[in-house]
Amino acid sequence: MVTEGSEYYFDPIGLFIESGETVTFKIQSGSHSATAYKEGTSSASVNRIPESAETFNSETLSEQGATYEHTFETTGTYDYFCIPHKTLGMVGRIVVGEPGGPAEGSMPPDGDVPESQTIVDQGSVSYSSFSG
């Protein structure tokens, strides 16, 4: 989770993992959160994680080096955002096992992320290589 000048982003912006793996979100700079697009979770007004998936929300972390971990059990596509920077397009996507769920076929309402199949093919998509 990075603040660089007037840019706020997750790096990687797209990540492929297998079911049961844990992702660690780490503050490189700035104050950020990793929050699932699950209606009722923070300021999310849409569902963009698999139906039976556990939601996640780190709340805002401010200390450089602070981390938040979440284990992804349910297969599918997860879109997430940063609470303080959602309106500035700070969004990301994780594909667990294979693409699927309500996030497929469209972009999050607050920004662009790599297509799920691109994430699966590459394993990880860095923010700097993603052109949105």
Side-chain angles (χ1 to χ4, degrees), residues 35-41 44-56 72 75-81 86 91-95 100-116:
T35 305
Y37 274 102
K38 174 74 172 174
E39 204 167 357
T41 302
S45 58
V46 296
N47 292 327
R48 297 190 60 83
I49 67 173
E51 269 186 48
S52 60
E54 181 182 329
T55 191
F56 59 94
F72 292 81
T75 298
T77 303
Y78 294 72
D79 287 345
Y80 59 96
F81 63 93
K86 179 172 83 158
V91 296
R93 176 172 279 178
I94 295 172
V95 178
E104 279 309 303
S106 64
M107 289 291 126
D110 303 294
D112 291 334
V113 293
E115 295 290 339
S116 295

Side-chain angles (χ1 to χ4, degrees), residues 23-38:
V23 172
T24 301
F25 298 87
K26 182 177 180 182
I27 298 288
Q28 296 296 329
S29 54
S31 295
H32 303 288
S33 79
T35 305
Y37 274 102
K38 174 74 172 174

Side-chain angles (χ1 to χ4, degrees), residues 4 6 10 15-17 24 29 33 35 37 39 42 44-45 59 67-68 89-90 100 102 108 116 122 128 131:
E4 191 171 61
S6 62
F10 293 100
L15 181 65
F16 174 75
I17 62 171
T24 301
S29 54
S33 79
T35 305
Y37 274 102
E39 204 167 357
S42 183
S45 58
E59 299 295 340
T67 60
Y68 170 75
M90 188 170 174
S116 295
Q122 295 182 16
S128 62
S131 58

